[in-house]
């Protein structure tokens, strides 16, 4: 893989991860159940941290640890699926939109289920969350495909050339 291709893949992955995160955020805000949950949990936690800071106390270590854990989980959900699918697509030279959009969406949606194992469903609204994760992963995969995936497996001389007609 040439240095130019490596730079294109890295840039495309950064764009895909950012767009996937934005899509996930928009989905959470637009879904009434998730929006209410976020409002209840987020505002009470934010209010507790701000009141502690206003009184001159350090924030509760449990709150900081919870925020760091939430950030890691979101990064895992948004970053790992596009990176894995980009690596597989680049190594195998796959250029299909269905691979980048569909497989990234599917892996993003399945990641919480895979991490939880066989413990069963977590709650009643899990289907909505799974659909939201599929859409966010699909957006990330689509952005990657548009930026770099459709050129996977091509040599440096033909990367920007038109695809061969069949």
């Amino acid at each position: 893989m040439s240095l130019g291709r490596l730079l294109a893949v890295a840039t495309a992955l950064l764009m895909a991860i950012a767009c996937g995160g934005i899509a996930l955020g928009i989905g959470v805000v637009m879904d009434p159940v998730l929006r209410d949950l976020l409002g209840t949990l987020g505002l009470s936690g934010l209010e507790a941290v701000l009141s502690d800071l206003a009184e001159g106390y350090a924030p509760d270590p449990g709150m900081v640890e919870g925020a760091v854990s939430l950030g890691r989980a979101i990064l895992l959900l948004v970053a790992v699926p596009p990176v894995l699918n980009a690596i597989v697509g680049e190594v195998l030279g796959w250029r299909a939109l269905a691979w980048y959009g569909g497989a990234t969406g599917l892996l993003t949606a399945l990641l919480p289920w895979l991490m939880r194992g066989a413990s069963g469903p977590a709650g009643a609204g899990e289907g909505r969350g799974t659909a939201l994760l599929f859409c966010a992963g699909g957006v990330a995969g689509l952005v990657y495909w548009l930026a770099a995936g459709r050129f996977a497996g091509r040599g440096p001389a033909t990367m920007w050339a038109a695809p061969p007609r069949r």
Side-chain angles (χ1 to χ4, degrees):
M1 184 182 284
S2 69
L3 182 61
R5 181 71 188 151
L6 200 57
L7 183 62
V9 167
T11 304
L13 279 173
L14 288 175
M15 291 178 359
I17 291 168
C19 290
I22 290 169
L24 183 62
I26 290 171
V28 167
V29 169
M30 294 196 64
D31 184 25
V33 174
L34 293 174
R35 183 179 56 226
D36 291 343
L37 178 67
L38 180 69
T40 302
L41 296 177
L43 292 180
S44 65
L46 180 64
E47 191 260 328
V49 169
L50 290 177
S51 67
D52 284 349
L53 288 174
E55 294 175 10
Y57 299 116
D60 180 27
M63 287 288 233
V64 173
E65 187 177 316
V68 168
S69 295
L70 179 65
R72 283 185 193 147
I74 291 172
L75 182 65
L76 176 74
L77 285 172
V78 173
V80 169
V83 170
L84 287 177
N85 287 330
I87 290 170
V88 170
E90 288 295 323
V91 168
L92 299 177
W94 292 347
R95 294 190 290 265
L97 173 60
W99 167 253
Y100 291 104
T104 305
L106 186 65
L107 184 58
T108 304
L110 288 178
L111 210 54
W113 294 78
L114 294 172
M115 289 178 4
R116 189 173 58 238
S119 65
E126 188 162 13
R128 295 170 87 122
T130 301
L132 175 62
L133 288 173
F134 179 79
C135 291
V139 166
L142 173 66
V143 168
Y144 179 81
W145 177 80
L146 285 171
R150 58 191 173 148
F151 305 116
R154 291 189 184 178
T158 61
M159 184 173 6
W160 301 111
R165 293 184 183 234
R166 296 179 196 233

